[in-house]
Amino acid sequence: MEILVCIKRVPDTAENEITVNKTGSDIERDDLVYSVNEWDNYAVEEAIQIIDKAGGNVTVVTVGEDDSEEVLRREMAMGANNGLLLKDDAFKGSDGKGVAAILTAAVKKGKYDLIFTGAQADAGGAEVGGMLAAMLDVPYASLVNKIEILNDKTLKVGREIEGGNQEMSEISMPCVLSIQTGINEPRYVGIRGIRKVASVEIPVMSASDLGVAAGAVGDAGAKVKRVDYFVPALGEGAEMLEGSTEEIAIKLIELLKAKGGLK
Amino acid sequence: MAQFFAYITYKDGVADDAALELVSAAKKLSADSVIAIVTGSGSKLDTVCNNMTASYKEVWKIDNAALAYPNAEAVRKALVNVLPAGSIVLIPHETFGIDLGPGLSIKMDSAYVSDAVDFEGMAGTTIKIIRQEFGGQVSTHVTCDTSKGAVITVRPGVFQPDESKSAGGKVVDKSGSAGDLSVSRKYLELVAAQVGDVDITKSDVLVSIGRGIEDVENIEIANQLAKAMGADVSCSRPIVDAKWLEKSRQVGTSGQTVKPKVYMAMGISGSFQHVGGIKGNPFIVAVNKNPKAPIFQVADIGIVANILEFMPVLTEKITGA
Ligand SMILES: Cc1cc2nc3c(=O)[nH]c(=O)nc-3n(C[C@H](O)[C@H](O)[C@H](O)COP(=O)(O)OP(=O)(O)OC[C@H]3O[C@@H](n4cnc5c(N)ncnc54)[C@H](O)[C@@H]3O)c2cc1C
């Protein structure tokens, strides 16, 4: 089984408060801690668990800059066999469709039975996997929280839908699955593991390597463009309690009593 | 002007709330007319179509046995065959829309924008849309070139449902144009969510913990507070993903919908998928160390604090009082 997992380097929202910069052109990027997108970690773990049973290779791929190498290495330290960086000035400013087009070209350069993406990343688009599948003309399932291999052509997959219910389907390979958190427990990666893969060569492919027309991707090809970032004017918002912790606790208890929050 | 469509999702013959929200969403784009499009099979489909004529001037029905269960692959094929090129299609941004929308936009060769929370109008063929990133911590304006059509998913609950019901519309049967609906992803069955030890949907008071609890061992601190308050403990998704609490305790669109009197959001950022599971307008208290956390926009009372320090003090004041 050859599995390709598409991953992304994103600001870690567990480590940072995300704020808008002075001009609204971007988020404040100074001192940001980056990591691999939460959903992608589950996708890589799932891929590794599958090849542990069925044999084969896991390749992690990302569209990004040189600094994206660190997330590729992190996922290789988890157990992915190969990394692949898709990098070109022409890729900058791509919308979801642009990213999917670049990934489509990379997929066609290899031979994969399964392609995973995270269900969504920092922009909450939840779109690249579905676009990639449609561009490749292969079946797709989003928000997958269970994968069972039935035979070398077919999988049984569960999609997590509203209310935590699960929609089970049979899907033929090759296919694209977007992976939902909770499908597994991603393994811990220690410094040791990272060190082991620190000097592994990671191939880089450009627009011309991939045969992607520069005008079709990046800012030039994007139909959807982000104009600015902003923080909306708060509506009512919460009444903020201030004072020492004890004072706040006492005030809160009064409020809770009035609202039936204390029995 | 491009023709607007609203894809209607429904369960057991009853349209989702989003069906009427999309009427308002389309109005905000000053769409001259928006056509509802409903897929399915049999009498439940007919019921939904007939009900939708109150809100939409035209309701396109696609009836086919292959659409009896809303399999996104089959629905996509039907829509690609039925919709005119250049259409602008609005779809609710929930698990079905996420499954359908991206691929539909590719096959329609149109633009795609997901999870729109507001529209700032249309100039020529360009729509200006408001979205959110980073779990709602920041908002963005995006422009979408709709010259070759667009598929836009719209966040449920952000547009007021249009209750005027004065459209007096008609159903147009488009079933004949659906084409080949064979699929390579075959729907098998639904597996119902597991039932847990506590039914948080019945709780009056919830102490709900998020990633801010930091460690499985700290959950005891929340248990103590809940005990002092006579509350139950619920949580956000990452707590369940980490297997620290059972799935049945998860509040949100992919968890439980709760209707307590008081909801204590402890170290929860306030993503729309989480807040979407809190109904009945409870008194919401949010404690978060980030003063800009989106949860403060929906809370009644906000406290900027470390929950690991704040919860024990609150517990002590309650039990000591
Ligand atoms: C299809 C789909 C369905 C989903 N369904 C759900 C769902 O049903 N329910 C759900 O909850 N999520 C759901 N999610 C996930 C959702 O998008 C968010 O990722 C999740 O709600 C975040 O949980 P959180 O607020 O606990 O964590 P975070 O967003 O990481 O927030 C943690 C917060 O804690 C604060 N904090 C950290 N440490 C402390 C401390 N010591 N003291 C005080 N504050 C602290 C931080 O400032 C931050 O605001 C879904 C996602 C998808 C894609």
Side-chain angles (χ1 to χ4, degrees), chain A residues 25-227:
Chain A
S25 62
D26 198 359
I27 57 167
E28 191 56 74
R29 296 213 182 246
D30 290 348
D31 308 320
L32 274 189
V33 178
Y34 287 81
S35 59
V36 64
N37 173 43
E38 183 181 359
W39 280 265
D40 303 346
N41 238 354
Y42 288 88
V44 173
E45 176 65 37
E46 194 64 18
I48 295 168
Q49 289 188 16
I50 290 173
I51 60 151
D52 278 351
K53 276 188 238 133
N57 291 289
V58 177
T59 302
V60 283
V61 63
T62 190
V63 179
E65 304 289 310
D66 287 331
D67 45 21
S68 286
E69 247 196 56
E70 78 190 25
V71 293
L72 291 172
R73 277 191 209 287
R74 190 196 174 281
E75 302 308 280
M76 288 166 75
M78 264 175 93
N81 308 79
N82 313 301
L84 175 60
L85 175 61
L86 310 178
K87 188 187 83 154
D88 200 302
D89 283 345
F91 296 166
K92 286 180 188 165
S94 290
D95 60 5
K97 215 173 236 189
V99 173
I102 298 162
L103 290 169
T104 298
V107 170
K108 287 185 172 163
K109 294 274 167 195
K111 198 167 173 1
Y112 301 101
D113 305 292
L114 265 177
I115 299 151
F116 292 169
T117 67
Q120 63 173 33
D122 49 353
E127 62 195 34
V128 169
M131 291 175 170
L132 178 59
M135 286 177 177
L136 292 166
D137 235 336
V138 300
Y140 174 62
S142 63
L143 301 164
V144 169
N145 69 351
K146 182 160 181 62
I147 300 175
E148 198 185 308
I149 300 173
L150 296 180
N151 54 54
D152 47 342
K153 287 201 186 64
T154 326
L155 304 174
K156 188 172 175 181
V157 295
R159 292 184 60 235
E160 192 187 61
I161 59 169
E162 274 66 30
N165 298 314
Q166 197 181 34
E167 178 193 276
M168 303 304 298
S169 301
E170 221 173 83
I171 193 166
S172 54
M173 286 188 278
C175 61
V176 179
L177 307 179
S178 93
I179 305 295
Q180 176 60 305
T181 58
I183 186 173
N184 52 41
E185 290 175 74
R187 66 197 66 188
Y188 175 77
V189 182
I191 300 283
R192 265 250 209 93
I194 305 252
R195 251 189 232 136
K196 259 198 197 151
V197 294
S199 54
V200 179
E201 189 73 25
I202 293 182
V204 181
M205 292 181 94
S206 67
S208 63
D209 295 335
L210 291 168
V212 173
V217 298
D219 193 52
K223 286 185 174 172
V224 178
K225 296 186 187 201
R226 190 194 291 108
V227 183

Side-chain angles (χ1 to χ4, degrees), chain A residues 13-14 38-39 119-120 143 160 180, chain B residues 95 98 209-214 235-239 250-255 267-271 273-274 287-290 293 305-308:
Chain A
T13 50
E38 183 181 359
W39 280 265
Q120 63 173 33
L143 301 164
E160 192 187 61
Q180 176 60 305
Chain B
T95 61
I98 287 173
I209 53 171
R211 189 148 26 208
I213 199 77
E214 289 175 9
C235 64
S236 67
R237 182 173 182 114
I239 305 303
Q250 179 188 317
V251 175
T253 56
S254 62
I268 291 176
S269 63
S271 70
Q273 290 105 342
H274 183 78
V287 184
N288 197 299
K289 66 178 184 187
N290 175 5
N306 180 339
I307 56 168
L308 303 178

